[in-house]
Amino acid sequence: AKSEGRNLYRFFEPGMDATVQARRALEADLDTALPRQEFDLDFQPIMNIESGEIVGAEALMRWHSPTRGTVAPDNFIAVAEETGLIVPLGEWALRKACATAASWPPGLRIAVNVSAVQLKSGGFARSVISALAFSGVPASRLELEITETVLMDESETVLKTLRQLRGLGIRIALDDFGTGYSSLGYLRRFPVDKIKIDRSFIRDIDNRDTAAIVRTIIGLGAELGITVTAEGVETEMQLDMLRDNGCVEAQGYLIGVPSKAADIQRLLQLRALH
Ligand code: C2E
Ligand code: CA
Ligand code: CA
Ligand code: CA
């Protein structure tokens, strides 16, 4: 296998570990993927549980590699963060998401995932403001989804940037809520507009203890005036439980799978008619 590898990838040194080789190859492919326009965004609808209306959609990145096929974000975002590619890639996603949402019915929100690396890179607020201005989408329609790792090192740059963005009317959502070390601590220190209950809790919602945790998070959101969104809602039973407990929004395969921009546009326009 080693000699085969040498023939395939002449620039790799002989004796290099196979996983290291694979990793270098992935980095090399990723590096050319942005100029070659191999990235795309899918959009997944988000529903207001009480009204049943679609209130917006989350942009989810896809990599259509000519050699690897479609690569899921879990298999390339972390690498892009390590190489720094996530900065221009994230900026591309932000612009693309805003440009797409510009043709949605008015008021519908667009949620975009933001990596800690982007927020720490400096100039992030400027790139957000520019994406909004370029697309004509008002700040009130943009939601930025961050995870706890963004808040973990408490850097002044990140804090200032988040405050500045909120000041413009952009909403900040805390993603994968409940999976980190200190979700509650962060809620106390960083004003956020929304929490997204991680889908691992929704998946196990028929477990008594898990149900108690979900109810507690929903209650916490209500007390703090924070919108609570449940992720990964796949069954009517899960949705019923969330509705009974006053959860505000739901997202998941039951409501809609991540879809191409054109398909989501059709869905949003249909829903906006009634
Ligand atoms: P996430 O932000 O938590 O996104 C939700 C993930 O759950 C998506 O996976 C979505 O396809 C999946 N999902 C939605 N509903 C259901 C459901 O009912 N059941 C199940 N089993 N899964 C569901 P995806 O698209 O593979 O994205 C994975 C992660 O990659 C995202 O997790 C997010 O952390 C990251 N990601 C995606 N796009 C971007 C991006 O543009 N920038 C950054 N920095 N990260 C991104
Ligand atoms: Ca997200
Ligand atoms: Ca999530
Ligand atoms: Ca996640």
Side-chain angles (χ1 to χ4, degrees), residues 18-86:
T19 55
V20 176
Q21 286 194 7
R23 166 62 187 247
R24 292 282 158 80
L26 179 62
E27 286 176 11
D29 283 359
L30 260 180
D31 221 39
T32 53
L34 191 55
R36 288 183 185 163
Q37 307 188 327
E38 292 169 12
F39 293 105
D40 198 6
L41 295 178
D42 277 357
F43 297 86
Q44 185 177 34
I46 302 170
M47 184 183 82
N48 179 288
I49 296 179
E50 199 178 28
S51 70
E53 267 163 35
I54 301 298
V55 291
E58 177 180 1
L60 294 162
M61 210 183 281
R62 301 291 178 253
W63 176 20
H64 302 291
S65 158
T67 52
R68 297 165 186 272
T70 298
V71 187
D74 283 335
N75 297 319
F76 68 84
I77 294 284
V79 180
E81 287 178 333
E82 280 169 44
T83 64
L85 175 72
I86 194 69

Side-chain angles (χ1 to χ4, degrees), residues 58 113 145 175-177 196-199 231:
E58 177 180 1
N113 293 285
E145 300 195 356
D175 208 348
D176 303 345
F177 189 81
K196 299 189 79 173
I197 308 179
D198 191 71
R199 78 164 183 265
E231 296 190 305

Side-chain angles (χ1 to χ4, degrees), residues 3 50-51 59 95 98 109 125 136 160 181 188 216 218 220 229:
S3 64
E50 199 178 28
S51 70
R95 287 182 157 265
C98 289
R109 292 202 297 270
K160 261 177 55 190
Y181 286 106
R188 194 158 61 92
T216 303
I218 295 169
L220 181 72
T229 304

Side-chain angles (χ1 to χ4, degrees), residues 206-220:
D206 39 3
N207 172 286
R208 261 187 55 216
D209 295 345
T210 307
I213 292 171
V214 169
R215 277 196 302 272
T216 303
I217 298 175
I218 295 169
L220 181 72

Side-chain angles (χ1 to χ4, degrees), residues 110-126:
I110 173 70
V112 181
N113 293 285
V114 175
S115 150
V117 178
Q118 281 175 273
L119 264 162
K120 281 176 204 150
S121 70
F124 179 70
R126 219 179 319 121

Side-chain angles (χ1 to χ4, degrees), residues 1-12:
K2 275 250 159 72
S3 64
E4 252 175 59
R6 242 190 330 259
N7 292 332
L8 275 170
Y9 305 110
R10 273 169 301 141
F11 52 98
F12 292 114

Side-chain angles (χ1 to χ4, degrees), residues 249-261:
E249 295 178 350
Q251 183 179 356
Y253 296 163
L254 179 70
I255 291 98
V257 296
S259 310
K260 300 273 143 253

